[in-house]
């Protein structure tokens, strides 16, 4: 992800949203694992790898044990959550991963770091005293609303990685007028047209085959009628023969 920064390029919103969704998906797998749930604990751009088509994959150093929280203690960084700066809780949690995602998302959509500082003490102070009112109001409301939720100083108020998918929170940043949304609308319209054309084609085929089907149905009915007539004739013949037989005996 740092390649964008090295080229002084702002990550396109569509790409930023896709990256965020991929990261959230990876976190969801880690946080809700059935046997070994754990937090990443060190989420930052250096630990996110991008494929050629800009899909994100998480990377991390493996730990020897797996718990409900990350066992890896890391040095404070601009992506550390306020609660991680508390000496009583240095381990990563699912909620601290969500905070880190929020800081990364802010960097992706604005091109600037939220807590970058020349000194570690100033950075820690800025994170500890952070309030969501500090998020720029010049950002589109849909993006700002997501950042406000991800960067809530209270870890219990942040959405979980599961809720990010359930509520489609990250996708809301695209809004109805974004190029990606328009592209999806065009794709949907194209698919709908193809389906409509296919239905019309099938209808024409059925109508064309209708005459044949009706004739075949009539032929079947005629055959059935002839067979029923033959059966009645046989029965009548048998009844007549039986009547003649009884008359002969009497």
């Amino acid at each position: 992800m740092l390649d964008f920064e090295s080229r002084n390029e702002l990550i396109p919103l569509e790409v930023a949203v896709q990256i965020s969704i991929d990261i959230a998906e990876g976190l969801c797998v880690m946080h809700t694992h059935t046997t070994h749930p754990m937090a990443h604990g060190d989420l930052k751009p250096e630990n996110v790898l991008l494929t050629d088509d800009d899909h994100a994959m998480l990377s991390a150093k493996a730990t020897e044990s797996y718990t409900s929280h990350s066992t890896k203690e890391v040095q404070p960084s601009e992506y550390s959550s306020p609660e991680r700066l508390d000496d009583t809780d240095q381990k990563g949690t699912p909620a601290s991963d969500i905070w880190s995602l929020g800081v990364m998302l802010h960097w992706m959509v604005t091109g600037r770091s939220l807590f970058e500082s020349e000194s570690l003490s100033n950075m820690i102070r800025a994170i500890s005293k952070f309030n969501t009112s500090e998020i720029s109001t010049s950002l589109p409301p849909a993006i700002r609303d997501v950042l406000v939720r991800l960067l809530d100083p209270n870890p219990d108020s942040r959405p979980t990685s599961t809720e990010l998918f359930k509520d489609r929170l990250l996708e809301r940043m695209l809004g109805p007028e974004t190029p990606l949304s328009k592209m999806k609308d065009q794709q949907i319209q194209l698919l709908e047209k193809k389906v409509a054309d296919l239905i019309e084609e099938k209808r024409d085929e059925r109508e064309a085959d209708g005459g044949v089907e009706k004739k075949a149905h009539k032929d079947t009915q005629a055959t059935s009628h002839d067979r029923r007539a033959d059966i009645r004739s046989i029965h009548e013949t048998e009844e007549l023969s039986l009547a003649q037989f009884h008359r002969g005996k009497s």
Side-chain angles (χ1 to χ4, degrees):
M1 287 177 61
L2 296 176
D3 288 344
F4 283 96
E5 187 178 47
S6 66
R7 297 193 300 266
N8 293 320
E9 293 181 9
L10 185 65
I11 298 178
L13 177 59
E14 295 83 359
V15 177
V17 171
Q18 181 61 61
I19 291 173
S20 299
I21 291 173
D22 290 343
I23 292 174
E25 183 179 12
L27 293 178
C28 188
V29 171
M30 296 180 70
H31 296 169
T32 62
H33 196 281
T34 54
T35 56
H36 302 301
M38 65 181 300
H40 185 284
D42 193 23
L43 189 59
K44 54 189 177 183
E46 291 88 341
N47 286 336
V48 177
L49 308 178
L50 296 185
T51 62
D52 291 338
D53 56 353
D54 292 326
H55 279 278
M57 297 183 293
L58 300 181
S59 66
K61 290 184 179 179
T63 56
E64 294 182 358
S65 59
Y66 296 88
T67 64
S68 59
H69 290 168
S70 169
T71 58
K72 181 183 178 183
E73 296 183 6
V74 297
Q75 293 297 319
S77 74
E78 57 190 292
Y79 300 96
S80 299
S81 61
E83 65 270 18
R84 291 204 70 184
L85 299 178
D86 186 343
D87 291 337
T88 62
D89 186 9
Q90 283 292 320
K91 295 180 180 180
T93 65
S96 68
D97 284 342
I98 297 299
W99 170 280
S100 299
L101 173 58
V103 179
M104 291 174 58
L105 178 59
H106 182 278
W107 168 66
M108 287 190 285
V109 298
T110 65
R112 66 179 183 85
S113 175
L114 193 58
F115 301 113
E116 187 176 17
S117 177
E118 294 181 356
S119 69
L120 181 61
S121 59
N122 288 341
M123 181 193 71
I124 292 176
R125 188 179 301 110
I127 295 175
S128 300
K129 296 182 178 181
F130 176 77
N131 188 286
T132 53
S133 61
E134 299 176 42
I135 300 175
S136 176
T137 55
S138 63
L139 286 169
I143 297 177
R144 191 177 188 281
D145 289 346
V146 172
L147 290 173
V148 165
R149 293 193 62 184
L150 299 181
L151 295 172
D152 194 310
N154 181 3
D156 294 331
S157 298
R158 296 170 204 152
T160 64
S161 52
T162 303
E163 289 171 343
L164 292 179
F165 290 101
K166 180 181 178 181
D167 299 337
R168 302 175 69 87
L169 184 64
L170 298 172
E171 295 173 63
R172 295 180 192 175
M173 293 187 291
L174 293 174
E177 298 300 327
T178 60
L180 182 59
S181 296
K182 290 180 180 178
M183 181 185 71
K184 287 183 177 178
D185 289 342
Q186 292 171 356
Q187 291 175 338
I188 291 173
Q189 291 172 5
L190 180 61
L191 287 174
E192 288 177 343
K193 186 178 184 304
K194 287 183 178 179
V195 171
D197 291 344
L198 183 60
I199 292 174
E200 185 66 25
E201 181 181 338
K202 292 296 182 182
R203 184 182 296 114
D204 292 341
E205 290 178 358
R206 286 197 298 270
E207 290 178 355
D209 294 339
V212 178
E213 292 178 357
K214 290 178 180 178
K215 184 177 184 303
H217 181 64
K218 288 181 179 179
D219 290 344
T220 302
Q221 287 182 324
T223 301
S224 299
H225 177 75
D226 292 343
R227 288 179 178 176
R228 286 195 296 269
D230 291 342
I231 292 173
R232 282 198 301 271
S233 176
I234 292 172
H235 285 173
E236 290 172 356
T237 302
E238 289 178 344
E239 290 174 356
L240 178 61
S241 299
L242 186 61
Q244 291 174 344
F245 171 75
H246 286 300
R247 283 198 300 272
K249 290 191 67 175
S250 60

